[in-house]
Structures are given as C-alpha cells and as structure tokens.
Amino acid sequence: RAKADGRATYRFFEPEMDAELQARRSLEIDLRKALANREFELYFQPQVNVRANEIGGYEALVRWRHPERGMISPGEFIPVAEDIGLISSLGDWVLEQACMTASTWPKGIKVAVNLSPVQFRNKTLVQSVSRALARSDLAPDRLELEITESVLLQDNNLTVATLHQLRRMGVRIAMDDFGTGYSSLSYLRSFPFDKIKIDQSFVRELSSRADCLAIVRSIAGLGASLGMSTVAEGVETEDQFLQITAAGCTEVQGYYFDQPKPASELVHTLTPGRWRVEAPWRERSISP
Ligand code: C2E
Ligand code: MG
Ligand code: MG
Ligand code: MG
C-alpha cells in the first residue's frame, strides 16, 4: 500500500489497485511535498476595465510545475489538495505570494485571489488574510477574494460572518462563476458582493444561443442596480468582446486580452494597436 511517512515515501501498490487509483495516490504523495519543494507558481491574468480602457487588476491563478509531469492545472490538483487537508497551507502561500507581488505594481492595480470553500471551514482564514496584507504592506482594498457559490451552500451563517469580517478589514469580495449554482440570485441576497464574475459558459455560447446574451445583459443590469461591478470571464474573441461590452459588463477577462502569465512578464498597460482600445464596440455599432 502506498504510504507517505516522515522519513521516506513508499510506492508499493497492490496489484488489484487500478491505474486510476494508483495515479491518484501518487499525485497525493507528490502534492504533499510540492510546497516545501517550491513547485508552485502564480500566474496572473488581467481584468480589463472597458470604460476606463485600462487594466484594473489581475486574477492570481496557481500552477504546479511537477518535476516529472510538467505543468499540472489547478482543476486537477486543487480538489486533491482539498481532500487531503493541504488546501489551507497552499491557500496561505497563494495569498502571501499574490499580495507580495501586487505590492510591486502601480497603486491602482488590484489582485484577485481564489478561495476554496474548505478554507472557510478553517477558523484561521481571517488571520491568514491579515498576515498576508501585513507582510506585503498591500492596501486591503487592493486585495479581492473570489468565492464560488458553493461557499455559501455550507454553514451559511458562519461563512457570511467571515465575509463581513474580511470586508471590515477593507478587503473586496467577488462572486466567481456566477450563474452555475442552483439558486444564484439568493446568494446575492446573502452578502453585498463588490463584484460578480459571470461564468465562462455564458460567454462561450453567446454566438450559438440567443438566450445567453439576454442572461448576460440581465446580470450586468442586476449588478449595476446592486452597485456591483460585473466581469465576463473567458472572453476569447473580438465578437464576444463586442457583445459583452454592449451588454453592459464593466470588466472583461480572457484570452482575447491575455493568457495568465508569470509576474515577471506583466506589462500593466494595454498595448494600443494590439486591441482596438478606442472604444471598439462603439465603432462597430455605427458601421452596419
Ligand atoms: P476560475 O477562478 O474561474 O479561473 C478562471 C479559469 O479560466 C482559469 O483556469 C483561467 O486560466 C481560465 N481562462 C481565462 N481566460 C480564459 C479564456 O479566454 N478561455 C478559456 N477557455 N479559459 C480561460 P485555471 O487557471 O486552469 O484555473 C481553474 C480553476 O482553478 C479556477 O477557476 C479556480 O476555481 C481554481 N484555482 C486557480 N487558482 C487557484 C488558487 O490559487 N486557489 C484556489 N482555491 N483555486 C484556484
Ligand atoms: Mg476565479
Ligand atoms: Mg471563474
Ligand atoms: Mg471556475
């Protein structure tokens, strides 16, 4: 049986263990060593404010550079880290690294950090956030925490209390992947979010389904009347960009502007000419 103890790592697998289970066990073993071995990296993807035509902030996205397998995506290892009790120490590293990096950026630029629902079950989350802010000397309003609807499914009172505590520190709170949960609207009532991030699935189907545009337009309107900014995620094409901005979203994030990149490669300004930064959606709506 595969077992990781203090001194050494053993990989004896019983023959009847299937390949999938073996792969999972070996991922767990490697994951337990990854933080100490400095195998994690943060990539950053810009969120572009469409009215001001500038980068308002970056979302920090964790990457795992596995010594043998190369880059492993968070979609693969975050759920494992949650299962084996590693997400809080990984989450602390992400928070601190993100705040440290953002403290070197121009003052107007924010950083967004994803939080796992499991981190909310841990009583030390507020402490972790304030420690990251103190160590980096980052102004709290430059940190935005992204939570998914599933965070509000569990232990709602405790979670909402924690969110208020974070808000009192001056930190901003964003609702990620909005529209994918079972009762998205009721979550908006449980906490006054600063930002709604419209899930990629709505953007992806914009051109093929008319109802997606209507939904995006409604969410943007809802955000505006609730005083929340709205970000469309996963914008890849100019066409999507034009539709999204016409629908009233205040920010756009996606490959159309940039891929997530290491901190050393960030430029902080939109390159004129690479995108038509002069209000392209208005130009387009004039010509037939
Ligand atoms: P998310 O927070 O919804 O992040 C957006 C994901 O969409 C990222 O995937 C990003 O690389 C990808 N993306 C951005 N623009 C585009 C686009 O134009 N097209 C497409 N198809 N995809 C785009 P990534 O980096 O693989 O992260 C996946 C998920 O893993 C994140 O979804 C988030 O839930 C989680 N995650 C990432 N970093 C962290 C972290 O530090 N902590 C925690 N707890 N979760 C994280
Ligand atoms: Mg996110
Ligand atoms: Mg998202
Ligand atoms: Mg997601």
Side-chain angles (χ1 to χ4, degrees), residues 130-189:
S130 60
R131 188 175 48 225
L133 289 170
R135 287 195 180 158
S136 60
D137 204 23
L138 186 77
D141 65 354
R142 292 179 62 194
L143 174 63
E144 188 165 83
L145 300 175
E146 296 191 2
I147 67 163
T148 53
E149 296 169 341
S150 60
V151 170
L152 292 165
L153 269 179
Q154 63 183 22
D155 217 344
N156 198 283
N157 289 339
L158 191 75
T159 303
V160 170
T162 306
L163 289 175
H164 279 292
Q165 235 180 314
L166 292 165
R167 167 66 67 65
R168 277 196 298 275
M169 289 165 49
V171 169
R172 295 163 50 89
I173 311 288
M175 161 129 297
D176 204 354
D177 302 347
F178 184 78
T180 55
Y182 286 104
S183 51
S184 304
L185 286 180
S186 78
Y187 297 134
L188 287 184
R189 199 177 48 184

Side-chain angles (χ1 to χ4, degrees), residues 176-177 197 199 233:
D176 204 354
D177 302 347
K197 299 191 74 178
D199 191 65
E233 294 193 90

Side-chain angles (χ1 to χ4, degrees), residues 267-286:
V267 179
H268 304 311
T269 50
L270 296 176
T271 315
R274 183 155 168 215
W275 309 285
R276 294 193 294 150
V277 292
E278 296 306 323
W281 61 95
R282 262 176 243 136
E283 275 170 40
R284 177 62 73 91
S285 61
I286 295 165

Side-chain angles (χ1 to χ4, degrees), residues 59 61 69 102 109 148 151 169 221 229 241 245 252 257:
E59 177 173 9
L61 295 157
R69 291 181 50 194
I109 298 184
T148 53
V151 170
M169 289 165 49
S229 54
F241 173 64
T245 48
V252 174
F257 284 100

Side-chain angles (χ1 to χ4, degrees), residues 56-157:
Y58 293 89
E59 177 173 9
L61 295 157
V62 70
R63 298 288 179 263
W64 178 15
R65 198 182 290 275
H66 189 282
E68 288 119 38
R69 291 181 50 194
M71 284 292 201
I72 302 182
S73 83
E76 190 177 340
F77 68 82
I78 293 280
V80 181
E82 290 173 339
D83 281 355
I84 66 175
L86 278 179
I87 193 67
S88 286
S89 44
L90 174 57
D92 285 357
W93 179 85
V94 170
L95 273 167
E96 192 158 328
Q97 199 65 28
C99 291
M100 286 287 189
T101 305
S103 71
T104 68
W105 296 341
K107 291 264 183 291
I109 298 184
K110 299 182 181 67
V111 68
V113 171
N114 292 283
L115 294 182
S116 153
V118 179
Q119 286 173 274
F120 277 81
R121 275 180 239 145
N122 195 323
K123 301 281 190 303
T124 58
L125 177 61
V126 172
Q127 203 184 314
S128 296
V129 171
S130 60
R131 188 175 48 225
L133 289 170
R135 287 195 180 158
S136 60
D137 204 23
L138 186 77
D141 65 354
R142 292 179 62 194
L143 174 63
E144 188 165 83
L145 300 175
E146 296 191 2
I147 67 163
T148 53
E149 296 169 341
S150 60
V151 170
L152 292 165
L153 269 179
Q154 63 183 22
D155 217 344
N156 198 283
N157 289 339

